[in-house]
Amino acid sequence: MDLNECIRAAFEQAFPGEDFGFVRVVPATDPRFGDYQCNDALKLAKKFKMNPREVAAKVAAHVPSALKVEIAGPGFLNLTVSPAWLDESLAAFAAQPHCGIPQTGAGKTVVIDYSSPNAAKQMHIGHIRSTVIGNALDRIFRVLGYRVVADNHLGDWGTQFGILIKGYRELLTDEERANLTVANLEKCYVLSAAKAKEADGAWKDACRAELVKLQQGDPANLALWKRFIDISIGEFNRMYAKLGVRFDTYRGESYYNPMMPGVVEKLQKMGLAVESEGALVVNLEKEKLGVAIVRKSDGGYNYTTSDLACVASRVAEYHPERIIYVTDARQQLHFKQWFDIARKMGYTDVQLVHVPFGLMSYQGKAISTREGNLIKLDDLLAEAKRRAYDIVKDRGGDEALAEAIGYGAVKYSDLSHDPITDIDFSWDKALALEGNSGPYLQYAYARVCSLLDKAGADAAAEGAFHVTEPAEKRLALQLLEFPGAVRRAAEAYKPSVLADYLFQTAQLYSSFYQNSPILKSAEDVRRARLRLVALFGKVLKTGLGLLGIATPRHI
């Protein structure tokens, strides 16, 4: 029995002909007042010209006998489930594919734009947030049945490539050019950019000339540009492989470059873009969003134009229900501007969503080259693995286990926060085996595997669920909330909703384990409790997998 459907049916029987799709049953905030509650009777009192308690009473008369219903306060419906209902619900939940996660996205497409590093630069700790938040949303929307297109919108075009090409030819050694790496390209850019600041401006002019040749399709410069991009993507993929991240497309700014003149022409024809001091702008002052430049005075385009071309391309190719952009919070005005322009251009059938995230700091300082704490992502992951190995080596753990725990710790330390929150990264907190951390949840799963191994391979496969003790019931009710937690994480675009649920569930499991003997119980109790243990393990493994975190069987 689905509680939401059951209570909606009671509303429909009490008030025929009305739409009650909004009715929701939620876990009770205080177990003294029941297991679940529904507060929607209060919303209908004015419509039906009735006292809210009268509305609640009419609904309560149609609630099935498997649920004990009480009316509290101004019209709250407090629901207590029967032991039989709980046992049957657990059995049905355990048998469902996807752990009962609703396939709300079936037949729908969502594009998720995340990570988006700049070509010719090494990934650093500042890229971790967009990458792991975006990948968790990617996984969550897929399990909800959506067709997901994960796109890495690379920074692969623009002024920096004139600087790079000039530097490549004159500042790198023959050996560095022959064995070109992203590190060499980054070094090349830093050296060339510094020379471009020289007083006579000669180097800057030469860099600009190389850029113009590239933009005009010069074969030699195009070949170099393609080599830079291929090397960059190869390096990025090495990082993504470590993190378990995969993209469907790598479409950078260069992909949309040919489309931008058409976007500007359309904006002009619609009367949205007007000339201002030699540039073309869209005035959004009425919307309190300032002015958005779509073509600069020198004829060049900017990110607003590129993003408008990008959404036009994605809508034409994928017909998505929504497009999600995972970028840092400092870009919020930019997204508000071009989202508004896109709607005015007619892109109203697609939902454009910006998921902003806060900044990451380290030891209380903002991460930046100037502060000298711009940690390379490769170094971050290597350090995570090393520290995790120090934890597991005395337990017989190997480097593969250390990698799973270290990388999981880095991910969870980010994903357990609301995306908009600024994070001060802490190794001690991330790798803690107690408290709200990735290793704590991985260890909880390993303990489940160990218990089931001791019980025997088929011990949890047979027998019915039979919940009797309070700690068992609290865990059982929490497990049934897993599909809702996944759905809420998607609706809010916050993997932290799922992380919070998993941590709370693990705590309830710990209480159950401490208060309810399992292996030494009578056979029927033993089997029933082992089934609950196995179901917890299944939910924990599935949930951590949606966060991109591995679940080793032994720690």
Side-chain angles (χ1 to χ4, degrees):
M1 181 196 307
D2 181 285
L3 276 185
N4 281 300
E5 291 181 5
C6 173
I7 300 304
R8 285 189 202 115
F11 272 87
E12 289 167 358
Q13 290 169 354
F15 302 97
E18 299 290 335
D19 179 10
F20 293 107
F22 64 89
V23 169
R24 292 287 184 275
V25 175
V26 297
T29 54
D30 189 331
R32 292 178 300 171
F33 304 126
D35 302 320
Y36 297 94
Q37 62 189 55
C38 177
N39 305 331
D40 291 314
L42 279 71
K43 301 176 184 177
L44 300 169
K46 185 175 181 181
K47 178 176 182 178
F48 296 135
K49 298 180 180 179
M50 299 172 66
N51 182 288
R53 286 185 66 90
E54 291 180 275
V55 176
K58 289 196 69 172
V59 173
H62 296 280
V63 173
S65 58
L67 299 173
K68 176 186 174 184
V69 58
E70 294 180 348
I71 301 171
F76 304 129
L77 290 169
N78 290 341
L79 308 168
T80 303
V81 301
S82 68
W85 178 91
L86 186 54
D87 294 342
E88 290 169 7
S89 296
L90 287 169
F93 176 57
Q96 288 176 329
H98 310 293
C99 282
I101 296 169
Q103 298 301 285
T104 54
K108 302 173 185 176
T109 296
V110 58
V111 178
I112 307 181
D113 180 326
Y114 65 98
S115 194
S116 306
N118 287 323
K121 293 183 180 179
Q122 297 177 84
M123 293 181 73
H124 55 74
I125 192 172
H127 292 111
I128 195 73
R129 299 217 68 189
S130 178
T131 303
V132 301
I133 294 170
N135 184 248
L137 291 175
D138 179 342
R139 292 167 182 264
I140 288 168
F141 274 90
R142 286 182 198 270
V143 82
L144 286 165
Y146 285 85
R147 173 200 177 202
V148 174
V149 179
D151 184 37
N152 198 343
H153 191 89
L154 299 175
D156 69 348
W157 198 250
T159 305
Q160 70 267 33
F161 286 97
I163 296 171
L164 269 170
I165 290 171
K166 176 69 174 173
Y168 169 86
R169 289 190 171 126
E170 299 192 32
L171 299 177
L172 293 184
T173 65
D174 290 342
E175 183 178 353
E176 287 171 332
R177 283 193 290 269
N179 302 285
L180 197 59
T181 65
V182 172
N184 287 338
L185 286 172
E186 190 167 11
K187 168 191 168 184
C188 168
Y189 177 79
V190 170
L191 293 174
S192 186
K195 285 182 70 64
K197 295 178 181 178
E198 293 175 351
D200 65 4
W203 189 272
K204 184 176 181 179
D205 290 342
C207 291
R208 188 179 294 114
E210 295 292 359
L211 176 64
V212 170
K213 286 168 64 179
L214 173 65
Q215 292 171 334
Q216 292 176 346
D218 175 77
N221 279 14
L222 273 176
L224 275 181
W225 171 80
K226 187 176 187 309
R227 187 183 177 203
F228 298 165
I229 300 305
D230 290 344
I231 289 171
S232 299
I233 291 176
E235 174 64 8
F236 298 155
N237 281 338
R238 187 174 70 84
M239 291 294 98
Y240 294 137
K242 291 184 177 186
L243 293 169
V245 172
R246 184 189 64 81
F247 290 94
D248 298 298
T249 55
Y250 285 81
R251 291 182 178 172
E253 296 162 27
S254 63
Y255 183 85
Y256 305 101
N257 197 55
M259 308 173 197
M260 288 193 268
V263 169
V264 171
E265 184 180 352
K266 182 175 180 179
L267 288 169
Q268 288 179 290
K269 286 181 177 178
M270 295 179 72
L272 292 173
V274 296
E275 189 170 333
S276 176
E277 298 180 7
L280 279 177
V281 304
V282 178
N283 191 324
L284 301 173
E285 296 285 0
K286 288 183 180 179
E287 294 81 2
K288 298 182 179 180
L289 295 175
V291 173
I293 299 173
V294 294
R295 192 177 71 199
K296 294 181 284 187
S297 57
D298 64 3
Y301 303 105
N302 60 8
Y303 289 127
T304 298
T305 326
S306 175
D307 283 327
L308 290 169
C310 180
V311 76
S313 174
R314 287 168 172 168
V315 167
E317 183 172 359
Y318 303 120
H319 308 287
E321 180 208 46
R322 70 186 91 179
I323 305 174
I324 302 168
Y325 300 83
V326 185
T327 71
D328 78 63
R330 291 171 296 182
Q331 300 183 45
Q332 289 185 83
L333 176 60
H334 165 70
F335 279 93
K336 288 177 181 177
Q337 285 182 331
W338 82 259
F339 281 4
D340 187 86
I341 297 170
R343 284 190 289 270
K344 290 174 179 174
M345 291 178 73
Y347 297 107
T348 54
D349 292 335
V350 60
Q351 184 181 359
L352 302 175
V353 180
H354 181 213
V355 180
F357 55 82
L359 300 180
M360 181 176 281
S361 59
Y362 182 60
Q363 296 180 340
K365 293 183 179 180
I367 294 169
S368 70
T369 304
R370 183 174 298 176
E371 291 287 345
N373 63 351
L374 193 64
I375 304 169
K376 303 301 182 188
L377 186 55
D378 212 3
D379 295 337
L380 173 73
L381 296 179
E383 180 69 3
K385 180 178 176 180
R386 185 192 68 77
R387 289 182 180 237
Y389 185 68
D390 287 343
I391 294 173
V392 303
K393 64 182 179 182
D394 292 337
R395 306 180 185 195
D398 57 14
E399 290 195 0
L401 177 60
E403 191 173 279
I405 292 175
Y407 296 176
V410 169
K411 289 184 177 184
Y412 190 85
S413 68
D414 189 311
L415 296 173
S416 58
H417 292 81
D418 186 309
I420 199 62
T421 305
D422 291 338
I423 295 177
D424 187 38
F425 183 80
S426 163
W427 284 112
D428 291 339
K429 184 177 179 181
L431 291 171
L433 286 179
E434 297 295 333
N436 192 6
S437 71
Y440 170 77
L441 294 178
Q442 290 173 314
Y443 184 56
Y445 178 74
R447 288 177 64 190
V448 166
C449 293
S450 176
L451 178 60
L452 294 176
D453 288 345
K454 289 179 183 176
D458 63 343
E462 299 177 2
F465 286 95
H466 186 55
V467 175
T468 57
E469 300 296 326
E472 285 181 281
K473 184 176 183 180
R474 287 192 292 271
L475 175 60
L477 291 171
Q478 178 76 358
L479 291 174
L480 292 176
E481 286 301 305
F482 178 63
V486 176
R487 188 188 66 249
R488 290 193 302 275
E491 290 172 349
Y493 306 103
K494 294 180 179 181
S496 56
V497 171
L498 178 56
D500 288 344
Y501 167 85
L502 295 176
F503 178 58
Q504 292 166 9
T505 308
Q507 288 183 306
L508 290 173
Y509 173 77
S510 180
S511 177
F512 156 70
Y513 181 82
Q514 292 170 9
N515 291 284
S516 305
I518 300 173
L519 297 182
K520 295 183 179 180
S521 297
E523 184 61 22
D524 58 338
V525 175
R526 179 178 183 270
R527 286 190 175 276
R529 288 179 176 169
L530 283 171
R531 287 211 72 187
L532 195 59
V533 169
L535 185 56
F536 164 69
K538 180 181 179 182
V539 165
L540 186 57
K541 180 180 178 67
T542 303
L544 285 173
L546 293 177
L547 298 179
I549 296 174
T551 45
R553 288 184 56 85
H554 304 286
I555 294 180

